[in-house]
């Protein structure tokens, strides 16, 4: 069966060169990056120039028959607003991009307004990285609430990753109550391998909140393909909130240092734990509706030389 597939959680950058919590993240060679004092394989080793470009991602998407992707942002990659605006202008039919503000200091409400004026339709918040020398920026602080009201009033989507556990749940519940029309995509599947993950999943019982699975193969990396624990977790989440509230995400490119891009979703297509309708919803139809994607041409399957 042909599935219309949309990746609801991916990343792009031309170069990593930033500091997080006083520690450096910097692109090196052969797909490696210096990551907070440790050399890590950030990209597959054949991406020798360290560029995680839209063109390379599109090649992976075509190979894996993925029709479109949502590109969110993370502080560990550095701010990619300029590059993603360029990506949207050149490949807007395949990519939905999220802007990123500096939430560690005041003034991000105005940053968000500027991003929206430049055409961004979503704002990303890596909520698990909001620590400052003075404590953590709370999701329900005054300026955050002002920003969320602005996004609510202007139809801007929030792409949000919460800290593992339940610490931020009361804060985001206040946001949902005050901004009932704000569309929220919660990432990393509630940090599914950590305690409290179902509490995050159940936030999707609110009408405009969705859950995406970006990073789920990383979280279940110890058990590896075909990720039976991830399949079980998706089944449990669907039983809690309905499959119509869940979206597939890959966390590309970090996850493809361990598996291929196709493997990041085909453990779902090959599973007998979901109906065909559930697979269609999870892999693409929910994301198409939530992000407002149009129709796409079917991408043909190209046989491997090894077949």
């Amino acid at each position: 069966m042909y599935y219309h597939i949309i990746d609801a959680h991916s990343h792009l950058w031309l170069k990593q060169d930033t500091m997080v919590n006083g520690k450096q993240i910097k692109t090196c060679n052969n797909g490696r990056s210096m990551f907070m004092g440790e050399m890590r394989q950030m990209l597959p080793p054949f991406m020798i120039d360290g560029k995680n470009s839209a063109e390379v991602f599109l090649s992976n998407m075509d190979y894996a028959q993925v029709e479109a992707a949502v590109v969110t942002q993370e502080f560990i990659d550095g701010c990619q607003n300029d590059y993603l605006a360029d990506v949207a202008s050149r490949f807007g039919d395949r990519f939905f991009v999220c802007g990123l503000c500096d939430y560690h200091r005041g003034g991000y409400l105005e940053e968000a307004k500027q991003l929206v004026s430049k055409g961004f339709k979503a704002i990303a918040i890596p909520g698990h990285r909001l620590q400052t020398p003075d404590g953590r920026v709370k999701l329900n602080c005054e300026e955050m609430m002002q920003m969320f009201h602005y996004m609510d009033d202007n139809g801007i989507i929030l792409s949000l990753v919460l800290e593992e556990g339940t610490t931020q749940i009361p804060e985001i519940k206040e946001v949902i109550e005050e901004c009932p029309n704000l569309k929220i995509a919660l990432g990393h599947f509630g940090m599914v391998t950590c305690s409290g993950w179902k509490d995050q999943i159940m936030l999707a019982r609110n009408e405009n909140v969705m859950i995406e699975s970006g990073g789920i193969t990383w979280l279940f990396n110890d058990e590896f393909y075909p990720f039976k624990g991830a399949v079980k977790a998706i089944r449990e989440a669907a039983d809690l909130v309905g499959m119509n509230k869940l979206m597939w995400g890959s966390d590309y490119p970090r996850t493809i240092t361990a598996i291929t891009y196709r493997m990041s979703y085909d453990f779902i297509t090959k599973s007998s734990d979901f109906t065909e309708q559930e697979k269609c919803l999870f892999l693409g139809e929910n994301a198409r509706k939530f992000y407002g994607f149009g129709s796409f041409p079917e991408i043909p399957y190209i046989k491997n030389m090894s077949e």
Side-chain angles (χ1 to χ4, degrees):
M1 180 174 176
Y2 184 91
Y3 299 97
H4 294 285
I5 303 175
I6 296 173
D7 189 342
H9 188 119
S10 66
H11 301 276
L12 292 174
W13 64 80
L14 292 181
K15 184 180 181 181
Q16 291 178 314
D17 187 7
T18 190
M19 300 286 289
V20 174
N21 296 332
K23 297 182 179 180
Q24 184 183 47
I25 298 100
K26 188 175 180 63
T27 294
C28 299
N29 56 10
N30 298 333
R32 301 169 185 168
S33 289
M34 178 56 63
F35 183 78
M36 298 185 176
E38 180 183 10
M39 188 66 70
R40 300 291 291 271
Q41 194 71 46
M42 189 70 64
L43 300 169
F46 52 79
M47 295 170 72
I48 59 175
D49 61 0
K51 291 183 179 180
N52 172 32
S53 69
E55 289 82 357
V56 171
F57 190 16
L58 280 170
S59 181
N60 269 288
M61 290 166 63
D62 288 346
Y63 172 76
Q65 296 176 284
V66 174
E67 295 168 339
V70 178
V71 184
T72 189
Q73 293 199 59
E74 235 275 35
F75 289 126
I76 64 172
D77 302 325
C79 182
Q80 302 294 326
N81 290 335
D82 290 343
Y83 179 53
L84 294 189
D86 175 62
V87 167
S89 70
R90 292 186 293 130
F91 307 112
D93 58 332
R94 301 291 297 276
F95 291 120
F96 182 101
V97 301
C98 303
L100 179 69
C101 305
D102 184 356
Y103 310 107
H104 299 100
R105 55 180 178 80
Y108 46 85
L109 170 61
E110 290 305 315
E111 285 186 63
K113 291 180 178 180
Q114 291 174 15
L115 289 170
V116 172
S117 72
K118 294 177 181 178
F120 282 90
K121 298 177 182 178
I123 301 293
I125 299 181
H128 57 316
R129 301 193 193 275
L130 295 180
Q131 292 75 21
T132 73
D134 299 321
R136 178 175 59 82
V137 179
K138 293 188 175 183
L139 296 171
N140 59 348
C141 72
E142 183 178 359
E143 187 170 8
M144 279 285 191
M145 295 303 295
Q146 290 173 346
M147 185 179 75
F148 293 140
H149 277 290
Y150 170 79
M151 293 169 65
D152 190 358
D153 292 341
N154 290 275
I156 305 302
I157 294 173
L158 171 61
S159 174
L160 174 66
V161 173
L162 296 175
E163 289 183 0
E164 63 182 67
T166 61
T167 301
Q168 292 174 306
I169 287 180
E171 298 170 21
I172 195 61
K173 281 185 175 180
E174 183 177 334
V175 174
I176 294 167
E177 183 176 350
E178 283 209 24
C179 305
N181 296 316
L182 177 64
K183 296 173 73 173
I184 304 173
L186 293 177
H188 291 178
F189 217 70
M191 291 300 292
V192 60
T193 53
C194 303
S195 63
W197 74 276
K198 289 183 181 179
D199 295 278
Q200 292 196 25
I201 296 296
M202 286 190 290
L203 290 167
R205 290 180 174 178
N206 293 281
E207 182 179 0
N208 289 307
V209 179
M210 299 286 285
I211 305 294
E212 45 95 337
S213 71
I216 198 168
T217 60
W218 151 61
L219 290 164
F220 284 96
N221 183 63
D222 286 348
E223 68 174 35
F224 203 64
Y225 190 89
F227 304 108
K228 292 182 179 180
V231 169
K232 179 182 177 183
I234 294 167
R235 180 72 271 163
E236 290 181 35
D239 292 341
L240 286 172
V241 299
M243 190 62 82
N244 63 314
K245 302 293 287 184
L246 309 178
M247 304 182 291
W248 170 69
S250 70
D251 208 9
Y252 176 100
R254 285 179 260 276
T255 48
I256 64 166
T257 58
I259 58 175
T260 68
Y261 188 42
R262 182 182 291 275
M263 288 167 69
S264 65
Y265 75 78
D266 75 353
F267 72 96
I268 297 295
T269 66
K270 294 175 180 177
S271 173
S272 60
D273 289 357
F274 309 105
T275 67
E276 289 301 310
Q277 177 62 17
E278 286 176 324
K279 293 175 184 179
C280 288
L281 290 173
F282 181 68
L283 292 173
E285 293 306 319
N286 292 337
R288 183 194 303 276
K289 180 180 178 180
F290 184 76
Y291 290 102
F293 284 105
S295 59
F296 305 101
E298 290 191 4
I299 302 173
Y301 177 75
I302 306 298
K303 289 182 67 175
N304 292 321
M305 281 298 294
S306 58
E307 292 181 80

